[in-house]
Each structure stands twice: as structure tokens, then as C-alpha cells.
Amino acid sequence: MGPGGRCPGTRPAGPSTPAADPRARQHVQARLMSRFPEVPSDTPATAAAEAFTHFADARVRHYVPVMAFKRASRQ
């Protein structure tokens, strides 16, 4: 944990837009691959996709990448 109880690198990069969601998913996938290099590359991709699907109906979109990363990391 970093200062203030936050995990390093989990701040949202900007407001959510239709174009930002695919970029955020790719960013989460890349972070998962670097954090868990021992797992096959399709595993982080699947975990990221499932995590973003879980938050698809979230009314507040700003923190979805952060929550998706944390959810996928636990998988």
C-alpha cells in the first residue's frame, strides 16, 4: 500500500469516455501481465474482460479501471 492506503498506480487516468474504456481495459491487462508474468497471457486478458463486464452497469465510471484491476488481481 502506498501513502493514504492506496495501491500504487491505481489512480484513474482521466474521465471515462467511450474511447477510454478499451484503453483502460488494455492498460489493466498490461498491468496484470507485468504483475503476474508466470501466468499464460490469455489469463490476464480474460480476468480483465470479466472484471470490466462486472462493472458494465456502474453509474460512476471514473473508478471502474481501478476496481477492475483490483478485482482481476484477486482472481
Side-chain angles (χ1 to χ4, degrees):
M1 287 276 181
R6 284 192 313 265
C7 293
T10 58
R11 291 184 188 172
S16 180
T17 64
D21 284 346
R23 283 193 311 262
R25 187 181 313 231
Q26 291 172 348
H27 181 72
V28 167
Q29 181 180 339
R31 288 183 57 213
L32 289 169
M33 290 173 73
S34 68
R35 186 168 179 185
F36 303 104
E38 68 280 0
V39 299
S41 61
D42 61 329
T43 303
T46 302
E50 289 174 358
F52 273 87
T53 299
H54 177 78
F55 295 108
D57 295 332
R59 290 175 52 195
V60 177
R61 304 290 309 159
H62 192 73
Y63 291 100
V64 167
V66 174
M67 295 183 300
F69 175 77
K70 290 184 178 188
R71 182 178 182 87
S73 293
R74 287 187 294 243
Q75 286 183 341

